[in-house]
């Protein structure tokens, strides 16, 4: 029979095992804080919804696998939306305000929720863009004036692919690599840490690749370069071009 001391030892070992299997940086699932006795329950804004994917969870196979898509969309993205809702619940005067607008003007967000809006609002908006940047019916490269502008800026489409891939590979830790546009329609490749949005730098993200481990680890393990290469097979250039042509930071 297991005595108490051994039971405690085993429990401690189990804790260590679980901890060492958990990759850092991904946020814990969002749950509303438990009401404290005597305090009213927290107000939670319900306005930040995660839209359904515009394709099936397995539609991007074999490039992005079904299980990753399900976890990424249903848990990670949902968690950012929930946590943003909890933050905005503390300032209901901001309810109904587009998250993009708050990210563009972080300095105007009340200080007590600014970090949450930056992190969870960023995660919410970044993933909204990310899903739309993907499609099972991808063109290999964009067409029209956008492709001309891209080629001019980065030395043909192949130059763009090479520079974008290199930037995505070099993100240290968790973050994103973006193709962005400024108010003068200048294109640039830039990376952001954590869930920071290029909107906070006054630039419009046109295309983004999520290089947090949760975006690729199940299928690609530590082989981020393979994931980046696979991403290029499922880019929705039609959506990217639409954002470029709309040409406004207000979108
Ligand atoms: Mn993600």
């Amino acid at each position: 029979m297991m005595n108490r001391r051994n039971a405690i030892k085993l429990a401690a070992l189990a804790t260590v095992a679980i901890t060492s299997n958990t990759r850092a940086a991904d946020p814990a699932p969002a749950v509303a804080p438990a009401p404290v006795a005597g305090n009213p329950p927290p107000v939670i804004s319900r306005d930040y919804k995660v839209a359904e994917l515009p394709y099936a969870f397995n539609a991007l196979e074999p490039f992005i696998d079904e299980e990753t898509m399900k976890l990424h969309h249903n848990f990670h993205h949902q968690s950012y939306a929930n946590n943003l809702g909890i933050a905005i619940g503390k300032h209901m005067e901001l309810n109904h305000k587009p998250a993009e607008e708050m990210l563009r003007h972080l300095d105007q967000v009340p200080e007590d929720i600014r970090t949450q809006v930056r992190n969870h609002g960023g995660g919410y908006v970044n993933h909204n863009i990310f899903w739309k940047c993907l499609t099972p019916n991808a063109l290999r490269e964009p067409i029209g004036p956008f492709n001309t502008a891209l080629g001019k800026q980065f030395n043909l489409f192949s130059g763009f692919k090479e520079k974008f891939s290199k930037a995505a590979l070099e993100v240290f830790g968790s973050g994103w690599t973006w193709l962005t546009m400024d108010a003068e329609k200048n294109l640039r490749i830039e990376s952001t840490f954590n869930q920071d949005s290029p909107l906070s730098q006054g630039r419009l993200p046109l295309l983004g690749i999520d290089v947090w481990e949760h975006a690729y680890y199940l299928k690609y393990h530590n082989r981020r370069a393979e994931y980046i290469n696979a991403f290029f097979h499922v880019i929705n250039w039609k959506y990217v071009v639409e954002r470029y042509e709309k040409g406004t930071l207000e979108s």
Side-chain angles (χ1 to χ4, degrees):
M1 219 175 82
M2 190 186 288
N3 63 28
R4 191 164 175 274
R5 184 180 294 171
N6 281 343
I8 290 167
K9 252 192 212 162
L10 277 176
L13 281 173
T15 309
V16 169
I18 289 165
T19 310
S20 63
N21 275 338
T22 306
R23 290 190 301 281
D26 282 347
V31 284
V36 177
N39 288 350
V43 177
I44 300 175
S45 158
R46 297 287 178 195
D47 280 357
Y48 302 100
K49 303 272 189 294
V50 171
E52 280 186 26
L53 291 180
Y55 39 78
F57 286 111
N58 64 359
L60 306 177
E61 296 264 12
F63 304 107
I64 304 181
D65 61 292
E66 179 177 5
E67 195 184 358
T68 296
M69 290 300 288
K70 279 185 178 162
L71 287 169
H72 200 172
H73 178 271
N74 296 349
F75 294 95
H76 291 277
H77 193 187
Q78 188 64 53
S79 163
Y80 294 120
N82 293 351
N83 281 316
L84 177 62
I86 291 169
I88 299 305
K90 294 176 191 156
H91 285 275
M92 287 302 276
E93 72 277 12
L94 298 177
N95 206 10
H96 308 298
K97 203 162 201 183
E100 290 86 348
E101 196 183 323
M102 291 190 279
L103 291 172
R104 272 202 299 272
H105 306 288
L106 272 177
D107 56 326
Q108 292 169 21
V109 172
E111 208 176 341
D112 62 318
I113 61 164
R114 196 175 296 154
T115 301
Q116 284 107 306
V117 169
R118 179 176 171 180
N119 291 341
H120 300 295
Y124 172 67
V125 168
N126 290 343
H127 289 85
N128 281 341
I129 297 167
F130 184 59
W131 309 129
K132 291 186 201 156
C133 283
L134 302 172
T135 177
N137 307 307
L139 301 169
R140 291 307 290 265
E141 57 183 89
I143 51 170
F146 172 76
N147 202 23
T148 311
L150 197 71
K152 203 172 155 194
Q153 181 70 31
F154 301 109
N155 191 17
L156 304 176
F157 179 76
S158 57
F160 164 73
K161 186 179 174 187
E162 190 188 316
K163 291 180 180 79
F164 186 91
S165 300
K166 186 169 181 285
L169 193 60
E170 286 176 353
V171 173
F172 184 75
S174 298
W176 293 73
T177 292
W178 306 95
L179 172 67
T180 66
M181 182 175 83
D182 64 20
E184 284 79 45
K185 285 206 167 198
N186 296 311
L187 297 172
R188 74 186 78 193
I189 292 166
E190 56 191 307
S191 296
T192 56
F193 289 117
N194 301 318
Q195 293 295 352
D196 285 355
S197 166
L199 290 168
S200 305
Q201 303 297 324
R203 292 190 280 279
L204 180 71
L206 301 177
L207 169 72
I209 181 170
D210 186 344
V211 291
W212 283 58
E213 285 187 345
H214 67 228
Y216 63 88
Y217 207 88
L218 284 181
K219 181 177 171 74
Y220 294 100
H221 302 165
N222 59 332
R223 303 185 304 277
R224 190 193 288 181
E226 283 181 33
Y227 159 68
I228 296 166
N229 194 49
F231 171 80
F232 270 87
H233 288 267
V234 288
I235 296 177
N236 187 351
W237 286 113
K238 199 164 161 258
Y239 171 69
V240 177
V241 171
E242 273 169 22
R243 287 175 74 80
Y244 174 76
E245 286 176 353
K246 218 188 242 179
T248 167
L249 296 182
E250 298 313 309
S251 61

